[in-house]
Amino acid sequence: MNVIFLAGVHGVGKGYLGAPVAASLNIVHCTASQLIRDEKGRATWGVDKLVFDVDDNQLALINAVNRRRASTRTILLDGHFVLRGETGGLIRLATDVFSGLHLSGVILLCDDAETIAGRLASRDGVSTGSESIAELAVEEAAHARAVCCSLEIPLIVIDSPTEMHLMDAVVKLLADTAVRG
């Protein structure tokens, strides 16, 4: 089974772009937050995106993805490399989490912090400063690169993503996986 990890900060377009691309390619789109919520029976984060039970959440995510392995050929899994903990500090998720997900590749979506702040305000009704978003985006990108390098998996970075950009990236990773497989 292929698991392609679609990464980026909240509001960058992972779900907005990921769902239609997955539907077009006849693959499954899942969000890490929904899988964790389903696995644990509750959310461990609020509208402010501050997360508690980070380690337990990641174990729940790994279990949920592994349970889907038998019934699904490819999952486009959207999630994060870095989260804000319950006190607001940045938490880099352990490389072991991504190893446990058996990723085929990673697509990192990036966009301007002001644009993302506007999306979050429209979508969630939450005012998030662009400085905070930019700080998280820098950490997300750095940790994505480090994890992909450590696990020797491909990373595709898309700036100002569109549905077509994402479609091309997913198709490329699927083709590369078929060649490596």
Side-chain angles (χ1 to χ4, degrees):
M1 179 180 92
N2 291 309
V3 179
I4 297 173
F5 194 70
L6 182 58
V9 299
H10 298 284
V12 75
K14 296 180 304 295
Y16 180 79
L17 299 171
V21 165
S24 293
L25 294 172
N26 199 29
I27 62 176
V28 174
H29 173 256
C30 298
T31 67
S33 58
Q34 186 61 52
L35 291 177
I36 293 165
R37 189 180 304 118
D38 291 350
E39 190 76 12
K40 294 180 81 171
R42 63 185 165 81
T44 56
W45 55 88
V47 72
D48 58 7
K49 309 298 185 196
L50 301 181
V51 179
F52 53 96
D53 286 346
V54 172
D55 292 334
D56 190 51
N57 286 352
Q58 302 319 302
L59 289 174
L61 176 61
I62 291 167
N63 290 337
V65 169
N66 285 334
R67 197 173 355 278
R68 283 162 177 74
R69 286 190 178 285
S71 62
T72 302
R73 201 173 131 261
T74 301
I75 293 177
L76 182 60
L77 174 64
D78 86 43
H80 308 280
F81 282 94
V82 179
L83 299 169
R84 286 205 182 272
E86 57 191 305
T87 62
L90 298 180
I91 299 171
R92 287 181 168 209
L93 299 178
T95 300
D96 289 349
V97 170
F98 303 99
S99 177
L101 292 170
H102 306 283
L103 303 178
S104 304
V106 173
I107 300 169
L108 175 65
L109 303 183
C110 303
D111 213 335
D112 175 76
E114 290 290 331
T115 301
I116 294 170
R119 287 183 195 142
L120 290 173
S122 293
R123 182 186 80 185
D124 300 338
V126 175
S127 178
T128 306
S130 58
E131 302 84 21
S132 175
I133 294 167
E135 174 191 34
L136 184 57
V138 166
E139 282 297 308
E140 181 84 1
H143 197 42
R145 286 181 178 88
V147 168
C148 289
C149 183
S150 175
L151 298 178
E152 298 179 345
I153 56 176
L155 170 65
I156 297 173
V157 178
I158 304 173
D159 290 309
S160 302
T162 65
E163 200 172 309
M164 186 54 70
H165 291 137
L166 181 56
M167 177 81 73
D168 291 346
V170 171
V171 168
K172 179 179 181 350
L173 286 176
L174 290 173
D176 290 351
T177 300
V179 169
R180 286 192 316 259

